[in-house]
Amino acid sequence: MKTALIYNNLEYREDKPAVTILLETSFTKEIRITLKKDQIMKEHQAPFPIVVHIIEGKIDFGVDNRILKLEKGGLIALESSVPHDLRAEEDSIIRLTLNKADKASRVEKVAN
């Protein structure tokens, strides 16, 4: 059994989104991303399916040539290789579920 607290050691960076590994299981990696208002994660794609869960805030989520307005409680699941980008409309906390074979370092690179 493993546990984590999404709000534990919460950090917002001024220069870029903050990426924190919350926990790893036998099948997923659970990542927390915090974005200050107007911070972005440039267009990227994941090599495996992902799930994005908005814990707090509001996000403009760009996918399929449109912008989805995701807010607290919103979830979106994407298959692998789907280009997408994010912009925080307000300070936001995101939970990102990655496949175990995916790398958290890939997410950190996108956040730079």
Side-chain angles (χ1 to χ4, degrees):
M1 175 174 53
K2 297 182 180 189
T3 64
L5 294 170
I6 195 91
Y7 296 105
N8 198 31
N9 299 317
L10 199 58
E11 172 189 20
Y12 288 91
R13 294 186 182 160
E14 293 297 324
D15 58 332
K16 62 182 180 179
V19 177
T20 305
I21 299 171
L22 294 173
L23 59 85
E24 293 188 41
T25 72
S26 61
F27 58 97
T28 69
K29 291 179 184 158
E30 301 298 330
I31 309 290
R32 179 184 64 208
I33 303 169
T34 56
L35 297 99
K36 290 193 67 67
K37 183 179 192 257
D38 293 325
Q39 283 183 334
I40 64 166
M41 293 183 75
K42 63 188 176 220
E43 186 176 80
H44 59 284
Q45 48 190 298
F48 301 94
I50 61 169
V51 175
V52 176
H53 177 195
I54 310 306
I55 302 295
E56 295 285 344
K58 293 181 181 177
I59 299 291
D60 286 341
F61 193 94
V63 63
D64 292 332
N65 295 314
R66 60 187 179 148
I67 304 293
L68 302 176
K69 303 286 189 179
L70 300 179
E71 53 188 57
K72 182 177 180 174
L75 288 160
I76 186 167
L78 296 179
E79 293 299 324
S80 63
S81 304
V82 175
H84 58 282
D85 60 81
L86 296 83
R87 185 186 71 78
E89 286 189 19
E90 57 187 50
D91 290 357
S92 299
I93 302 170
I94 297 169
R95 176 180 158 209
L96 171 64
T97 301
L98 300 179
N99 182 289
K100 178 69 175 177
D102 204 346
K103 295 185 175 17
S105 60
R106 178 188 61 76
V107 179
E108 291 170 353
K109 289 177 186 172
V110 174
N112 286 326

